[in-house]
Amino acid sequence: MKQFELTFFYGPRPARYDDAATFEAIAASGITLTQLGGTPEECKKALVRCAEAGLRMNVCDGRVGAALDADETECDRIVREICEDYRGYEALNGFDLVDEPHASRFDAIGRVVAAFRRHAPQCETVINLFPNYANAEQLGNATYDEHLAEFIARVRPDFVSYDHYHFLGRDCPKPDFTPTGDRRSDLILENAYLENDRPGFFENAEAVRRHARANGLDAMAIVLLTEHGPYRNLTRAELSWEAAMCLAYGFRRVSYFTYEVPVGADDDAWRWDNAMVDAEGNKYQHYYDVQAIARWLLPLGRHLFPLDCERVVHTASEPLQHGNVRAVTGNAVCGCYSDGSVLLVNKSHLRAETFTVTAEDLTCYLPEEDRFVPCDGTITLDAGACVLVK
């Protein structure tokens, strides 16, 4: 990764690539990196629009699927053709390869990653992994730790990406699960409705942080935004909480699921609603929520980007001593960075909390000014909010 980015999974459809206002709205929301697909001609159109709006883009080209199914020689030919097609486009950042792959696909994915490194070494490749609540049949591994370790060893990815949708509790009936014939899709749907509450958010983040850091890799999380299935309509505090927790765990990119309401918004199982925009580009409240969050998230993320998150402390269960900070009292999640700074996140997404930070000459980072200023050791944070202290 070259810098901290705010991105999304599932954006505007190709029918809207002709509309410059579509891309201006993406940029105005605070999103800096898009992930868009279609035919090569449609992707090239989107790349031009992204450049005009000051955005970068990861291309979702359908030919990648053929490369994944090909032998090494044919894989190399297909990838070379893809790279030549998009060479010279200013907004090109990389290529999206596959979402939530089974472990049986890792060797094929590794061949494709290697081919892209040969033919477009300046570009990244994106592979997004299942969360830790996926079962062994979905993963193709007995445990999630094994899944992460095998993925890194066999694929040699540019970075580690995963999705985790934490906030359940939508008031909706559990649908009848009629098998579709696509076992992968059926399992995703069934597992989404298995629990009334979803544990494991922090365990998932820590596992990804640990495996990525041990292998010198950056990490990113795709977090929930759009109401669907059992996932509720989030508050701004909950959206802020997700983003702040990503920074606490040292992630160098945050992705929201989704920007636009997905195709099939009226299906009985998922019942998509409340994305950032609808299929015509009309803004939901979440557009303005992300825009407000981006005002502090982007400068804070870019300040932290070159630093190493050495450990994460949950202060309710573990004492904290890092750099100039001798102790933190209160229920916080704290990312301890290599320059001695501590990102303190309110662990509650429901209510404001007051924390006591013990330190000599304590300073707090002001994202809007990109500087540290002296501050008092008694700090009140809104629900889901954070502050960087040093």
Side-chain angles (χ1 to χ4, degrees):
M1 294 180 184
K2 301 177 179 69
Q3 64 176 7
F4 180 83
E5 305 278 12
L6 181 59
T7 186
F8 56 70
F9 189 99
Y10 200 95
R13 278 154 265 192
R16 297 210 288 120
Y17 292 174
D18 282 322
D19 181 18
T22 293
F23 294 84
E24 292 165 3
I26 293 173
S29 74
I31 296 294
T32 60
L33 175 65
T34 67
Q35 187 165 300
L36 300 169
T39 65
E41 292 72 24
E42 290 166 338
C43 290
K44 291 173 186 178
K45 188 180 297 183
L47 282 163
V48 171
R49 292 296 191 194
C50 281
E52 292 170 349
L55 296 163
R56 303 280 287 167
M57 175 174 157
N58 283 335
V59 171
C60 307
D61 188 300
R63 289 173 290 180
V64 167
L68 289 167
D69 291 333
D71 61 25
E72 189 163 355
T73 301
E74 181 64 3
C75 169
D76 189 80
R77 184 196 67 77
I78 294 169
V79 170
R80 183 176 66 249
E81 178 184 282
I82 293 170
C83 293
E84 288 173 355
D85 255 1
Y86 297 108
R87 205 175 306 281
Y89 282 88
E90 177 187 347
L92 180 64
N93 187 72
F95 297 91
D96 178 67
L97 302 191
V98 63
D99 183 41
E100 299 179 333
H102 190 273
S104 63
R105 302 287 282 163
F106 285 172
D107 291 339
I109 296 167
R111 285 196 297 272
V112 175
V113 168
F116 273 105
R117 285 208 181 104
R118 287 193 295 273
H119 298 295
Q122 76 284 5
C123 291
E124 68 179 26
T125 49
V126 184
I127 306 106
N128 182 59
L129 297 178
F130 277 114
N132 60 354
Y133 49 87
N135 62 32
E137 183 180 351
Q138 289 174 285
L139 298 175
N141 291 112
T143 69
Y144 194 68
D145 253 14
E146 182 182 333
H147 194 64
L148 291 172
E150 280 203 21
F151 171 72
I152 291 170
R154 293 166 59 189
V155 174
R156 298 183 63 241
D158 292 327
F159 56 90
V160 182
S161 170
Y162 76 106
D163 53 65
H164 191 113
Y165 306 146
H166 177 67
F167 294 109
L168 299 170
R170 189 185 192 189
D171 183 16
C172 64
K174 182 176 178 179
D176 293 328
F177 294 116
T178 303
T180 65
D182 182 342
R183 180 63 177 162
R184 178 180 180 278
S185 296
D186 289 345
L187 282 169
I188 291 171
L189 181 58
E190 290 169 10
N191 285 353
Y193 283 90
L194 283 179
E195 300 175 77
N196 292 322
D197 193 17
R198 174 148 291 150
F201 179 91
F202 297 112
E203 292 83 356
N204 205 157
E206 177 58 29
V208 170
R209 189 194 79 84
R210 176 167 44 83
H211 280 274
R213 188 167 180 264
N215 289 277
L217 297 173
D218 294 334
M220 99 172 204
I222 302 177
V223 293
L224 179 65
L225 182 141
T226 300
E227 182 181 10
H228 66 289
Y231 303 108
R232 65 179 181 263
N233 186 19
L234 301 193
T235 65
R236 181 176 297 185
E238 290 166 339
L239 294 169
S240 174
W241 184 93
E242 292 178 315
M245 289 303 176
C246 288
L247 294 186
Y249 278 85
F251 297 163
R252 291 183 166 92
R253 185 176 299 169
V254 176
S255 177
Y256 280 117
F257 181 82
T258 62
Y259 180 80
E260 185 171 292
V261 172
V263 172
D266 57 349
D267 69 60
D268 292 336
W270 292 118
R271 298 193 302 128
W272 302 94
D273 201 2
N274 291 308
M276 289 176 67
V277 302
D278 67 16
E280 286 72 47
N282 300 304
K283 298 177 178 69
Y284 290 103
Q285 176 58 43
H286 283 163
Y287 178 94
Y288 303 103
D289 294 334
V290 169
Q291 188 177 58
I293 291 166
R295 293 191 186 106
W296 60 261
L297 178 63
L298 288 174
L300 179 57
R302 287 176 177 174
H303 173 84
L304 294 172
F305 184 84
L307 305 175
D308 176 32
C309 181
E310 296 177 341
R311 63 193 175 106
V312 181
V313 174
H314 290 239
T315 59
S317 57
E318 181 183 354
L320 183 146
Q321 183 173 331
H322 184 74
N324 184 46
V325 176
R326 315 316 297 169
V328 173
T329 302
N331 191 11
V333 177
C334 294
C336 301
Y337 277 85
S338 53
D339 67 341
S341 62
V342 174
L343 184 67
L344 190 157
V345 184
N346 183 355
K347 197 169 183 177
S348 174
H349 51 76
L350 298 174
R351 62 187 63 85
E353 298 284 352
T354 298
F355 304 89
T356 301
V357 181
T358 304
E360 291 185 13
D361 302 321
L362 186 68
T363 59
C364 300
Y365 179 72
L366 300 181
E368 64 274 18
E369 299 179 18
D370 189 26
R371 66 189 181 100
F372 283 88
V373 298
C375 68
D376 186 81
T378 300
I379 298 172
T380 298
L381 293 177
D382 289 337
C386 66
V387 64
L388 184 68
V389 297
K390 189 176 179 181

